[in-house]
Amino acid sequence: MQPPASEALSELAPAPGRERIPGPSAATAEPGSFRDRNGAVFYRDGEILRGISAKALANWERLAAAPFFQEFTARGSIVRTERLPADEARSFGEWAAVLRHEKVPFISYPYEWTFGMLKDAALLHLDLMQAALGAGLILKDSSAYNIQWRGAQPVFIDIPSFEVLGKGEPWVGYRQFCELFLYPLFLQAYKGVDYRPWLRGQIDGIPAGILRPLLSARDLIRPGVLLHVLAQDSLQRRYADKPQNVRSSIAKAGFDKQLIVRNVEGLRKIVAGLKPGGSKTVWADYDRTHSYDQAEFEAKCAFVREASRHRRWRMAWDLGCNTGTFSRLIAEQANHVVSMDGDWMVIEHLYQAQQSRPDRQKILPLVVNLSDPSPAQGWRGLERRSLPERGRPELTLCLALIHHIVISANIPMRDFIGWLAALGTSLVIEFVSRSDEMVQTLLANKDDQYGDYEQDQFEACLAEHYRIRADQTLKGGKRHIYFCTPKSEP
Amino acid sequence: MHSIGAYTFRLVMAGLIVGMSTGTAFAYLDPGTGSIILQVLLGGVAGLLLAGKLYWHRLLIMLGIRREEEVASTSNAPQDVQIDAATRK
């Protein structure tokens, strides 16, 4: 089953296209939840609910009793889910039952994940397949969108995807697993090509026929290529126009669950061995230097920490987060932090580093280029949401970023501050002046058409939308940092 | 890693597998005919034995020893399943 586009939207006003459905109080349907007719997601009073059919209910009852399901849920790898009492569920219409899911802090999409994240999501999917098969169940689809994140921990959210495996049935989601997990990982691991633009470009992933022409003779000996890519593409082409019902034929011939288990084991071995290509150093020794000396850097940290203590934040965004130093600082005062940077290597570094930290479940690292952030897309443009539509923060960090936005991306400073202000959040922002060597580097080979890029004009832009509560000069006057709150706030 | 020989063998097997029966669709997601056939080959030893069994039936048809209907009914027979199950022990 295709997952809802967002399970974190319940605190927002209904987006266009979300229809009201019958219920005890205002409930809105999730427009991205339509592919599988056995269920549908909707929201009510901050809750995420899912109506399910009689068939899906039978599967849920089997799943809820399975020890593996309880174990994975207890360790946070499956979203916590409970069934609404029958009298409460009846008010939602014709569904056989209604499930209530735990809320995921922030919805993200595979085209915003690093290689390590997509790989760990794939491994979780395969682990769930193995466990489910052991209990006579299977995941009927393999959408990467079915996995979300609690900080840096992957969480499976599509409960009705678990169903009882019929005798002789193949793994229906195998092709989808290849297209949304395996081939994107191959693209990065074997060709050194960033898969994110591909996944953003096609909601159903990369078909075998698209990947195959990119592979060289040398790639044919790499694990998984011959069978999972070449053979699959050849067989798909060979049988594309033939009406045979292969599922019945294979079932009659004695296709057995053990064949799926072997396939899943093989895939797990292949995926576990994949490393991101095109990056010799990988992230083990990756540590981007910053242009501050230690004392100045500590002054900056102290300012950010002090600003974050203004109050407790439900959600904070760290835009241009680099390796996440400041994300961790504000995580002390925030329930959740979404850390974004356009450089996938720093996000990978942050993701891997978070795995062993106590704030692992608080910081979600995402690859986002702010000058070209993920758009709303899919059917009617509602299946996948744009960044701000997925839940806005209460605090936004914007450190050492503005020169990239204004000078590298040519976005007018006023526009950018206006966009930040539209988020309606408190803001910690750093102005990087023309005397800073980073700005001079950016301007070295460009026409200087940035007459507005001056501190006084920057402050005037801020003053239009914000009340500046604190500010401080940094780096010997080359930079200046501000803490502001929206004018609308008292 | 798979050798070219094993790959060719599996691919040839794959071409000989497909039966001719019809039925209804079972899932909202199209698993893809080619991808289902491939799953037989990805099923390890049991998968190859299943492929071999299907190939053997096709061969009998080609030689005129057995007719198409017999293959379907033979494949349905419980002993076939048992033979297959026994090979996996």
Side-chain angles (χ1 to χ4, degrees):
Chain A
M1 168 173 174
Q2 201 68 17
S6 169
E7 308 223 355
L9 287 166
S10 45
E11 289 161 30
L12 297 178
R18 295 170 79 183
E19 293 159 9
R20 290 172 72 92
I21 56 169
S25 66
T28 47
E30 163 56 53
S33 172
F34 60 83
R35 295 197 185 201
D36 183 355
R37 305 296 191 276
N38 280 300
V41 171
F42 41 90
Y43 309 100
R44 188 202 58 184
D45 300 336
E47 289 183 326
I48 300 150
L49 303 168
R50 191 193 298 261
I52 53 173
S53 68
K55 183 182 164 200
L57 174 59
N59 287 322
W60 159 253
E61 283 171 345
R62 179 85 181 267
L63 174 70
F68 89 87
F69 175 72
Q70 291 154 11
E71 284 159 23
F72 274 88
T73 303
R75 77 172 88 128
S77 299
I78 296 179
V79 74
R80 277 195 300 278
T81 300
E82 58 185 4
R83 185 179 167 186
L84 285 191
D87 54 335
E88 207 182 323
R90 256 193 300 279
S91 58
F92 288 98
E94 77 277 28
W95 299 111
V98 175
L99 304 179
R100 175 166 44 212
H101 299 301
E102 164 200 7
K103 227 183 297 178
V104 173
F106 190 80
I107 290 294
S108 62
Y109 301 129
Y111 44 82
E112 296 161 342
W113 303 345
T114 65
F115 180 89
M117 293 171 81
L118 185 62
K119 177 176 163 175
D120 287 349
L123 291 173
L124 173 60
H125 192 91
L126 294 172
D127 287 346
L128 289 172
M129 276 286 292
Q130 270 180 320
L133 286 165
L137 296 159
I138 192 166
L139 287 168
K140 69 177 169 190
D141 53 12
S142 305
S143 172
Y145 295 89
N146 285 347
I147 291 179
Q148 290 297 327
W149 300 84
R150 190 184 291 110
Q153 181 189 24
V155 187
F156 185 85
I157 62 163
D158 190 21
I159 298 301
S161 183
F162 287 100
E163 67 174 14
V164 175
L165 177 66
K167 189 169 167 50
E169 279 289 293
W171 175 16
V172 171
Y174 164 66
R175 180 171 75 170
Q176 194 179 32
F177 181 86
C178 293
E179 294 176 347
L180 276 166
F181 285 110
L182 191 66
Y183 298 160
L185 290 171
F186 278 177
L187 197 57
Q188 178 81 62
Y190 295 162
K191 307 307 291 180
V193 172
D194 185 350
Y195 57 80
R196 277 167 291 270
W198 297 62
L199 290 186
R200 178 163 151 177
Q202 300 198 101
I203 201 162
D204 291 325
I206 306 172
I210 298 290
L211 182 62
R212 186 177 178 171
L214 303 174
L215 300 169
S216 64
R218 188 178 158 221
D219 294 322
L220 302 186
I221 57 164
R222 296 185 196 270
V225 170
L226 271 179
L227 283 166
H228 294 289
V229 185
L230 253 71
Q232 186 156 201
D233 180 46
S234 300
L235 288 165
Q236 280 173 359
R237 284 171 201 273
R238 167 101 167 70
Y239 295 104
D241 304 322
K242 299 194 169 55
Q244 294 103 329
N245 185 334
V246 185
R247 288 175 76 164
S248 312
S249 306
I250 284 179
K252 282 176 191 162
F255 189 92
D256 184 89
K257 184 172 88 175
Q258 277 311 112
L259 276 73
I260 305 176
V261 172
R262 292 282 165 273
N263 189 13
V264 169
E265 286 170 354
L267 281 167
R268 207 189 184 292
K269 207 177 285 178
I270 291 167
V271 171
L274 292 174
K275 293 185 172 64
S279 52
K280 285 272 190 292
T281 56
V282 197
W283 50 84
D285 308 316
Y286 196 88
D287 203 5
R288 186 194 267 185
T289 54
H290 51 73
S291 64
Y292 278 89
D293 67 32
Q294 195 56 32
E296 288 286 348
F297 188 68
E298 278 166 17
K300 184 173 167 179
C301 289
F303 185 92
V304 173
R305 184 177 276 121
E306 188 55 34
S308 73
R309 286 180 180 155
H310 178 68
R311 52 171 271 208
R312 183 84 199 168
W313 316 93
R314 182 183 48 80
M315 164 75 72
W317 283 4
D318 183 0
L319 307 177
C321 65
N322 204 336
T323 48
T325 307
F326 297 98
S327 300
R328 288 176 186 140
L329 280 184
I330 56 172
E332 293 166 13
Q333 291 298 320
N335 298 348
H336 300 286
V337 179
V338 182
S339 305
M340 302 176 228
D341 203 294
D343 177 350
W344 76 266
M345 284 291 284
V346 296
I347 295 297
E348 185 73 80
H349 184 273
L350 174 59
Y351 172 71
Q352 300 297 342
Q354 283 304 108
Q355 296 306 319
S356 55
R357 287 180 53 93
D359 54 6
R360 179 189 179 212
Q361 297 192 339
K362 294 183 81 172
I363 299 175
L364 168 64
L366 295 179
V367 184
V368 174
N369 172 8
L370 267 193
S371 64
D372 180 23
S374 315
Q377 53 186 356
W379 166 237
R380 293 189 295 170
L382 294 169
E383 267 190 277
R384 306 286 173 256
R385 290 174 187 275
S386 70
L387 199 62
E389 282 182 317
R390 282 179 253 161
R392 297 182 186 194
E394 292 175 338
L395 171 68
T396 304
L397 234 61
C398 199
L399 304 177
L401 179 70
I402 188 127
H403 53 313
H404 293 291
I405 296 288
V406 177
I407 297 170
S408 305
N410 295 306
I411 293 166
M413 190 158 65
R414 213 185 141 84
D415 276 18
F416 182 60
I417 303 294
W419 180 82
L420 285 173
L423 293 174
T425 75
S426 295
L427 175 71
V428 178
I429 189 164
E430 182 180 27
F431 183 77
V432 184
S433 79
R434 286 172 172 274
S435 58
D436 192 281
E437 57 275 21
M438 295 299 168
V439 173
Q440 288 169 0
T441 305
L442 294 182
L443 282 171
N445 293 301
K446 288 191 85 171
D447 281 342
D448 189 346
Q449 52 161 6
Y450 314 103
D452 60 336
Y453 195 76
E454 298 294 346
Q455 190 171 342
D456 57 341
Q457 296 204 37
F458 173 77
E459 288 180 4
C461 287
L462 276 187
E464 274 182 49
H465 307 282
Y466 295 97
R467 180 175 295 121
I468 297 172
R469 290 185 175 265
D471 68 300
Q472 187 177 325
T473 299
L474 294 170
K475 215 178 156 185
K478 290 177 180 171
R479 299 190 177 193
H480 207 94
I481 191 166
Y482 304 83
F483 171 52
C484 344
T485 53
K487 266 187 170 171
S488 54
E489 269 181 28
Chain B
M1 198 176 296
H2 305 278
S3 73
I4 301 286
Y7 163 67
T8 311
F9 172 71
R10 288 180 177 207
L11 208 58
V12 169
M13 284 300 196
L16 296 159
I17 286 172
V18 180
M20 300 301 288
S21 60
T22 56
T24 52
F26 301 92
Y28 84 95
L29 190 67
D30 182 359
T33 307
S35 301
I36 292 182
I37 294 165
L38 181 63
Q39 286 184 50
V40 176
L41 308 182
L42 291 167
V45 177
L48 291 180
L49 287 170
L50 180 60
K53 192 175 74 171
L54 286 159
Y55 172 64
W56 180 244
H57 290 144
R58 301 296 270 182
L59 187 69
L60 294 182
I61 293 167
M62 277 195 285
L63 296 175
I65 297 168
R66 201 177 278 188
R67 287 175 312 173
E68 192 83 29
E69 299 76 41
E70 275 184 82
V71 176
S73 61
T74 309
S75 302
N76 265 333
Q79 66 265 28
D80 265 20
V81 178
Q82 284 165 6
I83 289 162
D84 189 47
T87 58
R88 288 194 300 274
K89 281 177 186 165

